[in-house]
Amino acid sequence: MYSMYPEYFCPGCGDECEHEILKESGDLLVQCKCCSNIHHVPKEKEPEEIVVKAIVSVEDNSKKGIVELMEDEVVSLGDLLVGEVDGEPVGVEVTAIEIEDKRKKRAVSKDIDTLWTRVVDKVLVKVSYHDGRKTIPLYVESDGEEDFIIGDVYQTGKYRYKVTHIKLRDGAMMRKEGWKAYARKIKRVYGIKSR
């Protein structure tokens, strides 16, 4: 059961007990709920917000940006964060974490030198459109969270096509009708001419 009272070591009863906080200043004045002893405990330091350098990629272009995080926040590959480039907020996905010229899969934010990211709120999805004789490359600007669904029909400019399969950025190929993927996860969509 969740308690409203934090637990501290009490010098009065010599045990870890729930305490009521009586006063907050440089440290805490607390009263033990077990033996009523009043004593001081050090105040826990709140984690600070820090700015982490980020390289933000939009397709083939990269810009320097920042990501604001709590100093004790754990960041992993694939995490979705809010970055900032030229004072504008952008939704980004973490693609690499750099600490002392080494790449890590996961790290505490205060240890990170650079976050490598890519914009995911607007992404360019590559579509291979096949009309029965030739394949034409199409580019669809899409919201990063938008789904592409196998079996559904889409229109890009004058081309109307049914999605037959989707190749994901991690190399997986999706072929089952009804399966879907977020635009930000897609490497290429394959479609055939549709009426």
Side-chain angles (χ1 to χ4, degrees):
M1 187 170 141
Y2 178 75
S3 167
M4 294 289 292
Y5 300 103
E7 286 193 5
Y8 298 109
F9 177 78
C10 175
C13 58
D15 203 2
E16 285 274 331
C17 290
E18 290 183 349
H19 283 68
E20 184 176 350
I21 298 172
L22 303 175
K23 187 176 172 192
E24 293 187 51
S25 54
D27 59 4
L28 302 176
L29 183 64
V30 295
Q31 183 173 22
C32 179
K33 299 289 278 178
C34 298
C35 71
S36 298
N37 179 45
I38 295 175
H39 61 102
H40 289 270
V41 293
K43 197 175 193 178
E44 284 185 32
K45 185 178 157 257
E46 291 286 319
E48 290 179 26
E49 193 168 65
I50 60 169
V51 173
V52 177
K53 183 174 91 174
I55 303 299
V56 180
S57 297
V58 182
E59 295 308 318
D60 295 334
N61 297 323
S62 294
K63 286 188 169 186
K64 288 183 181 172
I66 60 166
V67 175
E68 292 181 353
L69 299 164
M70 299 311 286
E71 64 182 345
D72 60 349
E73 197 170 334
V74 175
V75 180
S76 302
L77 292 181
D79 282 357
L80 298 177
L81 304 170
V82 176
E84 193 176 296
V85 177
D86 300 328
E88 292 294 317
V90 289
V92 297
E93 178 182 19
V94 177
T95 57
I97 300 168
E98 192 174 297
I99 301 173
E100 296 175 1
D101 296 328
K102 291 191 175 108
R103 298 283 171 113
K104 304 281 184 186
K105 289 185 178 179
R106 190 183 163 121
V108 177
S109 59
K110 66 182 177 197
D111 299 331
I112 298 171
D113 294 325
T114 306
L115 280 175
W116 294 81
T117 66
R118 66 184 189 91
V119 172
V120 291
D121 49 2
K122 285 288 180 205
V123 293
L124 210 54
V125 177
K126 296 175 180 96
V127 177
S128 289
Y129 167 87
H130 191 69
D131 68 0
R133 290 178 296 138
K134 62 185 181 301
T135 300
I136 299 165
L138 306 175
Y139 298 91
V140 182
E141 186 174 279
S142 174
D143 185 296
E145 298 294 308
E146 186 180 329
D147 283 327
F148 278 77
I149 304 167
I150 296 170
D152 278 13
V153 176
Y154 295 84
Q155 180 91 31
T156 302
K158 64 180 183 179
Y159 302 101
R160 188 173 164 81
Y161 53 93
K162 179 180 175 183
V163 174
T164 57
H165 52 291
I166 297 171
K167 183 169 184 151
L168 300 178
R169 288 186 176 273
D170 66 6
M173 187 70 82
M174 297 170 61
R175 297 179 187 276
K176 192 167 175 139
E177 184 130 342
W179 282 17
K180 59 188 175 181
Y182 287 132
R184 64 185 168 80
K185 300 243 183 216
I186 295 172
K187 188 167 183 81
R188 188 174 296 274
V189 169
Y190 296 85
I192 56 170
K193 185 176 180 178
S194 179
R195 295 195 186 280

